[in-house]
Amino acid sequence: MADAAGSSEAVVETTGLTKRYRGGQLAVDGLDLAVPRGSVFGFLGPNGSGKTTTIRMLLGLIEPTRGAARLLGEPMPRAARRVLPRVGALIEGPALYGFLSGRDNLLRYDAADPDADPRTRRTRVGEALERVGLTSAAGRKARAYSLGMKQRLGLAAALLQPRELLVLDEPTNGLDPQGMREIRTLIRGLAADGRTVFLSSHLLDEIEQVCTHTAVMHRGKLVTQGTVAEMSAGVRGRLAVGTPDTAETARILKEQGVTGITVAEGRVTGDLPADAPPATTGTAVPNRQRPGGPPDLADLNAALVRAGVRVRAFGRQDASLEDAFVALTGEGFDVAG
């Protein structure tokens, strides 16, 4: 898995990017990040891990203490006037006029853009509303919008002009499950159009569902970055046994070297011994371990059967992004909000 920036195809690049606030708080510490063009990039970390501070530095809203950032190949914040018209951003929720309709909010946003052609303003606004599914609600006051509708209206504002890069900071924060699904579906559609989407989130489930690449932030530092598949592949899966005889199963698995055992109703899971091979085909060899190594899955299954355990399901679970995060940081994490 890659750990540093440096690709000519990177839409976002940082080198040693650092932000220390007055009083000594180190919010971002030596960040080297590379976001591939055309990716849906999940910027993952708990609240307070430095994600929003990083985004603010990328967009030129705050100055870094040291280090460098490039957006669309241009240095930031020096090239902000050239770069930002090519970037759509939604940071910490949209700023809306509650007394105006959704359509009128977008007309105000568009009128504030010095590069926007006023002759085609209503067409652009109509297309943006249609893209985010708000055409039927365009005449309603923004204060009557649900939180999910407000987020979609904020995305519509970011889409009024063609954008090469979309930067979305916690776009589903505070939404109910339906609102989260709406935003995720919209993000997938935007990515399918060829845009690069940089999505910060503290929700593992969100990253797994919509992202192709990810980076993990923890206490201001970059822990790792790469594709979502690479991150999960770097963690050993867990053994899962479905059985009504959970206590006996846990005892036998522990004797066989399985660690981290958890017991739930009708299910026992645990970490396989290091270097345990996958299950073999054919009949398991009874009561024996591989010479010089841990038992394979067939041996573990055979040990359970010999002990009279009623095995209803048995196999290796693929590691999830949650497993990867815990393995990388040693801490738990929000899965779905």
Side-chain angles (χ1 to χ4, degrees):
M1 193 177 301
D3 288 318
S7 167
S8 61
E9 287 299 310
V11 173
V12 176
E13 288 184 280
T14 69
T15 306
L17 194 65
T18 300
K19 181 62 179 180
R20 186 184 293 276
Y21 288 108
R22 291 179 181 177
Q25 179 192 358
L26 187 61
V28 178
D29 186 5
L31 176 63
D32 294 333
L33 191 68
V35 177
R37 183 176 297 277
S39 65
V40 182
F41 194 95
F43 197 39
L44 177 64
N47 291 329
S49 62
K51 303 189 304 299
T52 298
T53 299
T54 298
I55 288 174
R56 290 183 175 278
M57 287 190 285
L58 291 177
L59 297 177
L61 300 175
I62 58 174
E63 292 270 358
T65 304
R66 63 176 181 272
R70 298 180 71 85
L71 223 58
L72 300 172
E74 300 266 17
M76 292 295 289
R78 192 164 70 245
R81 287 177 178 264
R82 293 193 303 274
V83 172
L84 293 184
R86 301 156 62 193
V87 178
L90 180 62
I91 304 175
E92 295 182 334
L96 302 175
Y97 295 101
F99 63 92
L100 293 179
S101 68
R103 178 179 286 106
D104 286 342
N105 266 278
L106 294 188
L107 289 170
R108 286 281 187 100
Y109 273 113
D110 196 77
D113 185 346
D115 298 321
D117 185 348
R119 295 170 298 178
T120 54
R121 179 161 295 142
R122 288 195 170 274
T123 299
R124 277 194 304 279
V125 167
E127 289 173 349
L129 287 166
E130 183 177 2
R131 186 60 201 267
V132 301
L134 286 178
T135 300
S136 62
R140 290 167 54 187
K141 303 292 188 194
R143 62 170 169 254
Y145 279 14
S146 69
L147 188 53
M149 293 170 70
K150 289 177 180 177
Q151 290 289 79
R152 283 191 280 155
L153 190 61
L155 281 171
L159 297 172
L160 286 169
Q161 296 286 347
R163 311 292 186 183
E164 295 177 47
L165 170 66
L166 290 175
V167 179
L168 310 178
D169 186 21
E170 300 278 3
T172 63
N173 203 21
L175 300 186
D176 60 21
Q178 177 60 31
M180 294 173 75
R181 283 192 294 270
E182 291 171 357
I183 297 299
R184 289 170 181 170
T185 299
L186 179 57
I187 290 170
R188 292 189 194 101
L190 295 172
D193 287 345
R195 294 178 177 88
T196 303
V197 180
F198 183 87
L199 165 69
S200 92
S201 180
H202 69 283
L203 302 177
L204 287 159
D205 187 51
E206 183 159 84
I207 300 299
E208 283 192 305
Q209 288 192 40
V210 302
C211 295
T212 59
H213 295 69
T214 188
V216 175
M217 289 288 287
H218 186 59
R219 298 179 182 176
K221 287 182 173 289
L222 179 69
V223 178
T224 190
Q225 64 181 306
T227 68
V228 171
E230 285 172 342
M231 186 173 294
S232 296
V235 181
R236 282 186 296 128
R238 284 171 62 84
L239 174 67
V241 181
T243 175
D245 307 317
T246 53
E248 182 68 1
T249 298
R251 182 187 67 78
I252 294 169
L253 293 180
K254 185 175 181 181
E255 290 177 353
Q256 296 289 324
V258 177
T259 58
I261 293 173
T262 60
V263 178
E265 185 175 354
R267 184 179 176 85
V268 179
T269 62
D271 295 320
L272 290 163
D275 302 321
T280 57
T281 57
T283 305
V285 179
N287 198 26
R288 114 177 156 219
Q289 294 186 351
R290 295 183 304 122
D296 65 18
L297 292 185
D299 296 331
L300 292 171
N301 191 27
L304 292 171
V305 172
R306 282 195 309 275
V309 170
R310 294 166 289 175
V311 178
R312 293 174 175 169
F314 184 94
R316 187 196 298 260
Q317 288 180 320
D318 290 336
S320 67
L321 197 55
E322 181 182 10
D323 297 324
F325 184 89
V326 172
L328 288 165
T329 67
E331 294 188 12
F333 203 71
D334 287 345
V335 177

